[in-house]
Amino acid sequence: MPSDQLISALSADTEGMRHLRRVPPRRSAHTDWPEWVPEEVRRALADNGIVQLWPHQAEAATRAYEGGDVVVATGTASGKSLAYLLPVLTEAANGSEGRSLYLAPTKALAADQARAVGEFDAPGLIPAIVDGDTPYEHRRWAQRFANLVFSNPDLVHHSILPRHRFWRSFLSNLKYVVVDECHIYRGVFGAHVALTLRRLLRLAEHYGSSPTVIAASATAADPAASLSTLTGRPAAQVTVDASPSPGASIALWEPETYEIEGEPQKASTLSETARMLAQLTRRGIRTLAFVPSRRGAEIVAAEARSRLGADPKADRIAAYRAGYLREHRRDLEADLREGRLLGVATTNALELGIDVTGLDAVILCGYPGRLASFWQQVGRAGRGETEALAIMLAKDDPLDTYLVHHPEAIFDKPVEASVCDPSNPYVLAGHLCLAAEELPLRESDLDKIPGSREVAEQLCEQKLLRRRPGGRYYWVGSERPEVTLRGSGPMGVDIAETSTGRLIGTVDAAASHRLVHRGALYLHQGESYVVDELDLDDGIALVHAAKPPWTTSAQEITHLEILSTREHREMGEVTMCLGEVEVTSAVISYQRRRIPGGEVIDTQALDLPPQTLKTVAVWWTVAPEAMPGISDLPGALHAAEHASIGLLPLIATCDRWDIGGLSTAAHPDTELPTVFVYDGHPGGAGFAEQAFRKWTDWLGATKGAIEACECKAGCPSCIQSPKCGNGNEPLDKTGSVRILDLVLAADDGEPPVVLHAATPVPAATEADEDLWPGDF
């Protein structure tokens, strides 16, 4: 069915489309096989239907074959895999002892690539998967015999590098390192992966090899610079996409608005997503619906099935997310790939390059937080010859509302660069300790990363490293330092049925306090469970199946302490600061809310330990005498905090779930009305620093978004937050605008005063919610 007809059908119940953009189709171009590709490799590829190359594949593969690091950054379904496969298959076909290591951000993607490569009858190729599900004896076999190992950075970090002597033969013959979906490696997570890759390349050099790095990326700004940041080596980029594309119609959609007691309210974005998913599935349109949370994906799938009622197609709708058992995930991937599933509500777990050829439509339940993710998700449809349909439904959120009314911020803005900083001292300290434990650090090793020497000297003062007279640094700690790439990561909490002990799923430890506390309602593939007990020591939540007429929401309290101020700007009665803070939060209770009305039934107390986060924050204070006439000062500050968190992704490479905030009419450390916005990652991720550097743009957009909203007293489109621990109370919309006016008017144009640099502390981080690799 043409996109116009589909959009018309979806608009039958509501006129919500705000903008429609057509992406024209693109013709393909072809080129000859490079002379260096052996005939037997060409035959193996031809047997699988690959008889010609697109120019970007040939260019990237040839650069890699000639020994130069290269990244191919083209659109989805543009055959990036062949760019790394050609030199790898050639190495195997030539009978050399060269080995290759493929790294993906998730186990699912690595398994999917291994499945695809397994379909080639490639001469000399001996592939193997090495991840957390691989038995010990299979790992030992891969160490000795495999010449193409599929894995992930976590497994390299936790298993290969600490046991590098067992992998000596593999490392000494390492010819290629493939880094797939490298745009994922950004922020603190990206810094961790960059330092892991550098440790890998360092050990390979120690064992006598000099592997070439071949990377694949979604469309990104300056991908060569991003790869160079990950590896510390120069790289070339290939960005001209010569593959065919059927084109797409991309609609920006705002859910229907209705009034309750004179206040405009928007229909639930989850409900609208479920409605569209059900309608497209009913018409046989293969559709992915990207939903920002695991719980949301479960709700959308269940409601879409319910809307189809007795229609047999209801059984062809499912949810997909992290936390499912490995076998369940693989079955869902196969059902989607082979067309048995028509509709899937998924988190960002399916944003990456798992082969799902044949999708017709994509629904985005809210802006995913980054343009790179937006285009990656949109590109999951239209992989055949039929024009794709993509719809972004705006959440009731300041940023989403802004974007659907300012489409140029999506369509006329360049994609962000994948920014990460391996010299971040919070991250670097731990990896220097690990590198020294693996192999003593040389002066030349420290010269490769700015600030390494200073961090190493501080680690010596902490008696973690010792510098010998020859200039080398040795690890002298009692135990190997613990550094995880993704925070609490996969070592999380198992979810099991109380009566049978059957394992249902998992959740990472950091989120367990909110998602599987005692009494919580937990959703899994449309089935609901009530949590009987959360045992944090044993890492298990016991649940029983139930269908109560209520849902639950955790209530949280937060305390923030300023540890130090790096920079500040004093502008009369307003001061803007950047520095280190410690955030302590605790889930103290949960509310049960009636379905579907949302009325609070009761509040139950919880006794869970607090969680502590040392991070970086931007904060601003205003002298009380500058704000006479603001009757509800706490409400005004709280509203300004919420709105500023919602608009920060406009100027920083983050989404609102990467950051947190706190506001108070008199903070103990400043003794003034203060608003804090902090990075939600240990050690900081650079978001607060970007806010400090561009604070006038940031707060100016915040003020404009609040003023432009049509509501009277505040709504989710302007000052209410979906993750507020205080239930969005108190809030004062008018007061927030007045305070932001005062702050913006104070800009004096002077540069900030720098007080001190960051202090290194080994730290971990968290990545996007569903990009966990599993148990490595």
Side-chain angles (χ1 to χ4, degrees):
M1 182 182 291
S3 298
D4 289 342
Q5 295 180 33
L6 286 175
I7 291 172
S8 177
L10 293 171
S11 301
D13 300 332
T14 175
E15 294 296 331
M17 191 171 70
R18 297 290 176 260
H19 182 78
L20 179 65
R21 181 67 60 99
R22 305 279 187 184
V23 177
R26 181 180 62 239
R27 290 181 176 272
S28 63
H30 295 94
T31 190
D32 295 332
W33 290 94
E35 293 182 358
W36 52 266
V37 179
E39 184 59 36
E40 53 265 44
V41 171
R42 301 184 196 187
R43 284 198 301 267
L45 295 173
D47 289 343
N48 285 267
I50 302 173
V51 295
Q52 289 181 302
L53 293 182
W54 295 315
H56 62 270
Q57 295 172 317
E59 180 183 354
T62 298
R63 286 180 180 272
Y65 178 77
E66 293 173 351
D69 289 0
V70 63
V71 54
V72 54
T74 51
T76 50
S78 60
K80 293 188 286 288
S81 296
L82 203 55
Y84 82 79
L85 271 177
L86 280 180
V88 168
L89 295 180
T90 297
E91 185 73 14
N94 288 337
S96 73
E97 295 187 1
R99 319 281 284 272
S100 299
L101 176 63
Y102 169 95
L103 300 176
T106 68
K107 286 196 301 184
L109 179 54
D112 188 71
Q113 286 289 300
R115 176 196 58 78
V117 170
E119 295 176 356
F120 299 134
D121 186 16
L125 187 68
I126 308 173
I129 297 175
V130 178
D131 59 25
D133 297 324
T134 307
Y136 174 76
E137 59 273 16
H138 290 186
R139 292 193 191 192
R140 293 289 291 165
W141 181 89
Q143 290 170 11
R144 296 176 61 189
F145 301 112
N147 55 15
L148 175 54
V149 170
F150 293 89
S151 190
N152 53 68
D154 308 80
L155 191 285
V156 171
H157 169 70
H158 286 282
S159 185
I160 294 180
L161 298 184
R163 300 171 179 83
H164 60 88
R165 291 170 183 85
F166 293 101
W167 288 85
R168 178 173 183 167
S169 175
F170 185 88
L171 292 170
S172 64
N173 291 290
L174 190 56
K175 179 73 172 181
Y176 296 109
V177 176
V178 179
V179 184
D180 206 354
E181 304 287 1
C182 68
H183 63 282
I184 291 297
Y185 304 127
R186 59 182 180 265
V188 178
F189 174 48
H192 276 290
V193 172
L195 292 168
T196 299
L197 286 172
R198 293 177 188 219
R199 286 164 47 213
L200 171 67
L201 295 172
R202 174 175 174 259
L203 286 173
E205 179 186 0
H206 171 71
Y207 286 117
S209 66
S210 180
T212 298
V213 178
I214 314 170
S217 170
T219 303
D222 203 354
S226 297
L227 179 58
S228 294
T229 300
L230 289 176
T231 63
R233 311 187 325 187
Q237 64 186 40
V238 177
T239 58
V240 178
D241 193 341
S243 64
S245 170
S249 291
I250 306 173
L252 304 184
W253 209 284
E254 195 167 26
E256 181 181 9
T257 301
Y258 55 93
E259 285 196 2
I260 295 181
E261 298 179 355
E263 278 290 312
Q265 302 286 337
K266 288 182 181 176
S268 162
T269 314
L270 290 177
S271 183
E272 272 291 274
T273 302
R275 177 183 75 84
M276 290 186 174
L277 181 60
Q279 290 192 8
L280 290 170
T281 302
R282 181 180 285 117
R283 289 171 170 81
I285 305 300
R286 294 181 62 193
T287 306
L288 271 186
F290 284 101
V291 186
S293 71
R294 300 180 184 185
R295 183 185 180 91
E298 297 284 358
I299 291 171
V300 167
E303 185 174 334
R305 285 195 295 264
S306 176
R307 284 175 176 270
L308 290 182
D311 190 321
K313 291 189 178 71
D315 296 330
R316 300 177 69 182
I317 294 177
Y320 181 98
R321 59 174 175 80
Y324 290 165
L325 301 183
R326 178 178 183 269
E327 296 76 13
H328 190 187
R329 291 198 308 271
R330 298 297 176 265
D331 289 344
L332 288 170
E333 291 159 14
D335 289 344
L336 177 60
R337 187 167 50 245
E338 295 166 18
R340 290 186 291 273
L341 283 176
L342 278 177
V344 174
T346 179
T347 56
N348 58 7
L350 283 182
E351 179 181 314
L352 303 184
I354 297 173
D355 182 13
V356 286
T357 302
L359 291 176
D360 304 302
V362 166
I363 305 168
L364 279 62
C365 181
Y367 180 63
R370 303 170 181 90
L371 281 174
S373 291
F374 174 87
W375 289 110
Q376 188 80 350
Q377 292 180 10
V378 165
R380 299 305 270 159
R383 294 183 167 223
E385 297 181 357
T386 305
E387 182 189 47
L389 171 66
I391 298 171
M392 190 193 89
L393 274 161
K395 297 191 301 289
D396 213 355
D397 168 277
L399 180 59
D400 284 37
T401 302
Y402 177 90
L403 290 174
V404 295
H405 292 282
H406 296 83
E408 68 279 1
I410 291 178
F411 297 108
D412 302 331
K413 186 177 178 182
V415 175
E416 313 93 344
S418 295
V419 178
C420 74
D421 180 14
S423 65
N424 180 336
Y426 294 95
V427 179
L428 180 58
H431 284 273
L432 287 181
C433 291
L434 290 171
E437 194 269 346
E438 291 155 4
L439 194 70
L441 285 166
R442 301 165 299 184
E443 295 280 351
S444 57
D445 295 326
L446 298 178
D447 291 338
K448 295 177 181 178
I449 303 175
S452 291
R453 199 176 302 276
E454 292 80 1
V455 173
E457 291 298 332
Q458 293 187 20
L459 292 170
C460 289
E461 293 175 8
Q462 298 171 26
K463 301 190 184 308
L464 296 174
L465 297 183
R466 178 176 296 168
R467 188 175 187 273
R468 296 294 189 183
R472 295 196 175 193
Y473 292 80
Y474 290 78
W475 166 250
V476 293
S478 56
E479 296 181 3
R480 182 177 171 85
E482 277 192 36
V483 176
T484 57
L485 305 192
R486 315 184 193 224
S488 59
M491 306 303 292
V493 173
D494 292 332
I495 303 166
E497 275 193 310
T498 303
S499 58
T500 65
R502 179 175 67 94
L503 186 63
I504 294 172
T506 62
V507 63
D508 64 274
S512 63
H513 293 216
R514 292 181 287 107
L515 300 180
V516 290
H517 57 75
R518 173 183 51 80
L521 185 66
Y522 176 77
L523 298 179
H524 181 90
Q525 274 298 332
E527 299 296 324
S528 58
Y529 299 84
V530 173
V531 179
D532 299 316
E533 180 186 356
L534 171 60
D535 188 331
L536 293 171
D537 292 331
D538 291 337
I540 191 167
L542 297 175
V543 303
H544 68 271
K547 293 185 178 180
W550 42 260
T551 186
T552 56
S553 59
Q555 307 297 301
E556 193 172 13
I557 59 170
T558 301
H559 170 75
L560 187 149
E561 177 185 357
I562 298 174
L563 301 179
S564 62
T565 303
R566 288 189 199 171
E567 301 180 51
H568 71 89
R569 299 182 58 147
E570 292 187 3
M571 302 171 287
E573 294 166 318
V574 174
T575 300
M576 185 75 57
C577 300
L578 176 73
E580 288 81 17
V581 299
E582 182 175 84
V583 183
T584 303
S585 59
V587 176
I588 58 170
S589 63
Y590 69 96
Q591 290 181 337
R592 294 192 299 174
R593 293 178 177 271
R594 198 178 310 279
I595 300 174
E599 302 88 356
V600 175
I601 300 173
D602 59 16
T603 300
Q604 302 284 331
L606 293 170
D607 184 18
L608 290 169
Q611 296 174 302
T612 301
L613 170 72
K614 288 186 177 180
T615 186
V616 178
V618 57
W619 66 91
W620 44 270
T621 64
V622 183
E625 56 269 21
M627 300 180 290
I630 296 180
S631 57
D632 182 7
L633 182 57
L637 294 167
H638 194 197
E641 171 216 328
H642 280 185
S644 62
I645 289 173
L647 269 295
L648 183 54
L650 275 181
I651 61 118
T653 310
C654 67
D655 59 44
R656 73 180 305 154
W657 299 96
D658 288 323
I659 46 185
L662 182 139
S663 57
T664 174
H667 190 270
D669 293 334
T670 64
E671 299 181 347
L672 292 168
T674 310
V675 173
F676 295 88
V677 175
Y678 57 84
D679 293 354
H681 299 268
F687 309 138
E689 185 167 353
Q690 290 182 67
F692 181 76
R693 302 280 174 244
K694 305 175 184 177
W695 70 273
T696 53
D697 294 339
W698 170 42
L699 296 184
T702 300
K703 172 178 170 286
I706 299 173
E707 289 179 317
C709 189
E710 297 177 355
C711 71
K712 296 177 182 177
C715 70
S717 293
C718 57
I719 62 172
Q720 292 180 5
S721 169
K723 58 176 187 172
C724 180
N726 295 319
N728 284 300
E729 292 291 342
L731 293 173
D732 179 358
K733 179 178 178 179
T734 303
S736 69
V737 174
R738 295 186 61 185
I739 287 178
L740 289 168
D741 262 332
L742 287 168
V743 175
L744 289 164
D747 180 23
D748 57 9
E750 293 295 320
V753 177
V754 179
L755 300 176
H756 77 88
T759 302
V761 178
T765 185
E766 294 179 12
D768 289 344
E769 176 184 351
D770 270 1
L771 295 184
W772 303 114
D775 296 325
F776 315 130

